[in-house]
Amino acid sequence: QVQLVESGGGLVQAGGSLRLSCAASGRTFSSYAMGWFRRCPGKEREFVGRISRSGGFTYYADSVKGRFTISRDNVKNMVYLQMNSLKPEDTAVYYCAADSADYSGYYFRSSVYDYWGLGTQVTVSS
């Protein structure tokens, strides 16, 4: 079992940056690939990015590629989402999620993730 708690959300102006954190409980954090998703107002939850167990592989949605970076610290049981050049359309509740499979051809689907945090709100003003 893994419990996930996101933090770091808030209000930021367009063009600004935020770093989200996700703290994971449990001794097996390094056994999970980690993903970030978001739910924008009035939309379905969507994939943002994913990082492999070791941190050696990352995947991003086209909408955030080049602006967002995922990293992890397997000693501290933390995963991060660095968000730069934020846009109003990045406004959303952001969730981290854990997948017990290191590789999945469907990594962009929320259904492959086993555990979820409750989310943290990010609001980008224009």
Side-chain angles (χ1 to χ4, degrees), residues 20-53:
L20 305 184
S21 299
C22 175
S25 66
R27 295 175 292 176
T28 59
F29 174 70
S30 59
S31 298
Y32 293 87
M34 298 298 295
W36 284 96
F37 286 75
R38 67 186 183 187
R39 188 188 300 275
C40 301
K43 296 186 178 181
E44 298 289 321
R45 185 163 51 187
E46 64 180 17
F47 172 76
V48 173
R50 177 185 172 102
I51 188 165
S52 63
R53 291 171 179 169

Side-chain angles (χ1 to χ4, degrees), residues 3-126:
Q3 292 184 322
L4 304 172
V5 179
E6 303 94 338
S7 62
L11 174 64
V12 63
Q13 288 189 328
S17 298
L18 276 177
R19 187 176 83 152
L20 305 184
S21 299
C22 175
S25 66
R27 295 175 292 176
T28 59
F29 174 70
S30 59
S31 298
Y32 293 87
M34 298 298 295
W36 284 96
F37 286 75
R38 67 186 183 187
R39 188 188 300 275
C40 301
K43 296 186 178 181
E44 298 289 321
R45 185 163 51 187
E46 64 180 17
F47 172 76
V48 173
R50 177 185 172 102
I51 188 165
S52 63
R53 291 171 179 169
S54 67
F57 296 94
T58 53
Y59 310 87
Y60 298 96
D62 288 343
S63 59
V64 306
K65 200 172 294 182
R67 300 189 297 123
F68 290 12
T69 303
I70 298 175
S71 60
R72 67 187 296 162
D73 184 332
N74 285 345
V75 174
K76 295 182 179 179
N77 284 10
M78 298 288 294
V79 62
Y80 306 99
L81 180 66
Q82 177 67 45
M83 306 186 294
N84 298 329
S85 302
L86 283 161
K87 305 175 181 179
E89 51 264 44
D90 294 318
T91 294
V93 177
Y94 284 74
Y95 303 89
C96 68
D99 181 5
S100 57
D102 197 25
Y103 174 76
S104 171
Y106 297 101
Y107 60 83
F108 48 89
R109 292 185 180 176
S110 59
S111 59
V112 307
Y113 294 82
D114 305 296
Y115 302 101
W116 292 83
L118 296 180
T120 185
Q121 174 72 47
V122 172
T123 302
V124 184
S125 63
S126 56

